[in-house]
Amino acid sequence: MHVLIVLAHPEKQSFNAHLAEKTRQTLLDLGHEATLINLYGEDFDPREADWHYSARKDVDKFDAMQEQRHHWHMKKLPSTVERHISLLSRADAVVIHFPFWWFGAPAILKGWLDRVLVYGGLYKSDMRHEDGSMRGKKALLVSTAGASMQACAPNGRDGDMRLMLWPLMYSLHYVGFDVLEPHLIYGVRGGLVADDEKRQRDQLTQQSLEYQAKLARWTDWPSVPFNRNEDFTDGQALKPDAPVYSPFVRHAEVADTAVQAEISQL
Ligand SMILES: Cc1cc2nc3c(=O)[nH]c(=O)nc-3n(C[C@H](O)[C@H](O)[C@H](O)COP(=O)(O)O)c2cc1C
């Protein structure tokens, strides 16, 4: 198996960089191939914009989707994007390491999706979800939060971290990946001193070992369920008898009534 590891963290000594390197080493030890790309390290520009495109279809008005498709077909995508796409194409799996920043992915990672998941090439209307270009490949998010596990729980003060990562996981599913349950590590805080710092270091060492042990059992890792194309009507509404896997895609009336009932009790 060949695994592409994507690191979205500005600091080489960060816990996220440490975990990305552990992913690489663990996979190599298991006899797999692994390639690590460090988005900050290679100064990846996360801004999707006209200046990346050398053979514009329309020079008067920049339409990102149209230019992506055009440059894909012309084989004139920006060289970085082309390289990342060929790494994705070659990989059987991708592991993405990032800190949870403002309740989502850091901008550099969001921009990586904006630019590298090229319309017309990696997805189009008849090539997405279970028919997506990345079908058969696995994708795993590994993310750290500063807040505690309880704060990031569904009933926690900061809200459900796993649910906040749903748009990112759905984007990967959109292009066809089999998305694995994200590996989330909580309470990763900087600026600690003395005993607090030592306690934190010991906890992170333990977390890192647990993650490596879990990664070694890669094939047992559960997937995140998503609705299949057949669960939707031609008008793209969830069929009444279709299963619900996320509050983001739900039987609207039932869910909204339940939420309203809870709110009205406040
Ligand atoms: C810009 C920024 C935004 C952050 N937003 C959140 C957040 O929304 N929730 C949270 O729990 N921690 C947040 N944090 C804390 C980071 O998640 C935490 O510092 C990081 O996961 C620690 O891992 P590292 O040592 O690899 O950087 C934020 C930190 C920064 C710098």
Side-chain angles (χ1 to χ4, degrees):
M1 181 168 83
H2 183 266
V3 182
L4 177 65
I5 304 159
V6 179
L7 171 62
H9 197 294
E11 172 54 55
K12 278 192 254 166
Q13 296 181 56
S14 65
F15 187 52
N16 274 272
H18 160 87
L19 289 175
E21 181 52 26
K22 289 297 172 197
T23 299
R24 201 181 71 82
Q25 281 171 14
T26 305
L27 292 168
L28 291 177
D29 290 348
L30 291 169
H32 301 301
E33 280 181 71
T35 304
L36 198 163
I37 52 178
N38 175 344
L39 297 181
Y40 280 94
E42 57 180 68
D43 204 13
F44 181 82
D45 182 354
R47 299 166 300 169
E48 175 59 318
D50 56 0
W51 58 77
H52 295 300
Y53 295 97
S54 57
R56 294 276 295 279
K57 185 179 168 142
D58 182 345
V59 287
D60 296 326
K61 180 175 172 244
F62 177 62
D63 180 326
M65 288 178 85
Q66 299 313 316
E67 295 300 350
Q68 287 188 354
R69 182 170 62 179
H70 179 63
H71 284 71
W72 166 272
H73 287 303
M74 303 272 291
K75 299 196 182 348
K76 291 215 161 174
L77 284 171
S79 58
T80 307
V81 170
E82 209 153 81
R83 185 167 59 83
H84 288 192
I85 289 175
S86 70
L87 286 170
L88 277 174
S89 307
R90 196 175 137 221
D92 302 295
V94 57
V95 182
I96 306 177
H97 287 273
F98 62 99
F100 194 51
W101 278 4
W102 289 117
F103 311 104
I108 203 166
L109 178 56
K110 173 60 171 57
W112 186 71
L113 300 182
D114 294 345
R115 293 193 55 211
V116 175
L117 303 185
V118 164
Y119 173 62
L122 269 61
Y123 74 97
K124 50 191 167 180
S125 59
D126 59 356
M127 188 174 74
R128 53 186 173 162
H129 306 120
E130 56 257 44
D131 302 317
S133 63
M134 296 291 141
R135 67 188 172 279
K137 300 174 191 281
K138 294 186 186 301
L140 171 66
L141 303 182
V142 181
S143 184
T144 64
S148 68
M149 182 190 266
Q150 177 55 68
C152 297
N155 67 344
R157 183 175 190 148
D158 284 1
D160 185 343
M161 178 178 177
R162 181 185 177 282
L163 187 58
M164 291 180 209
L165 293 176
W166 192 89
L168 187 50
M169 295 194 285
Y170 180 67
S171 304
L172 295 166
H173 167 68
Y174 197 93
V175 295
F177 279 106
D178 172 14
V179 181
L180 301 181
E181 269 301 326
H183 187 79
L184 308 179
I185 299 179
Y186 311 93
V188 184
R189 295 164 51 208
L192 299 174
V193 289
D195 285 353
D196 289 341
E197 198 271 333
K198 185 183 176 317
R199 207 172 304 120
Q200 164 95 339
R201 207 166 353 107
D202 292 346
Q203 270 170 13
L204 294 188
T205 303
Q206 188 57 31
Q207 295 276 14
S208 173
L209 291 172
E210 283 171 18
Y211 166 67
Q212 290 166 62
K214 202 167 147 194
L215 193 61
R217 301 188 307 274
W218 171 262
T219 46
D220 299 342
W221 209 300
S223 297
V224 175
F226 290 97
N227 287 104
R228 297 182 61 80
N229 288 335
E230 70 205 22
D231 290 339
F232 297 93
T233 65
D234 290 345
Q236 309 219 345
L238 192 63
K239 289 180 183 167
D241 55 349
V244 171
Y245 299 118
S246 161
F248 276 109
V249 183
R250 61 192 190 268
H251 297 295
E253 279 172 35
V254 178
D256 294 344
T257 308
V259 170
Q260 285 306 328
E262 275 206 30
I263 292 172
S264 64
Q265 286 170 13
L266 298 178

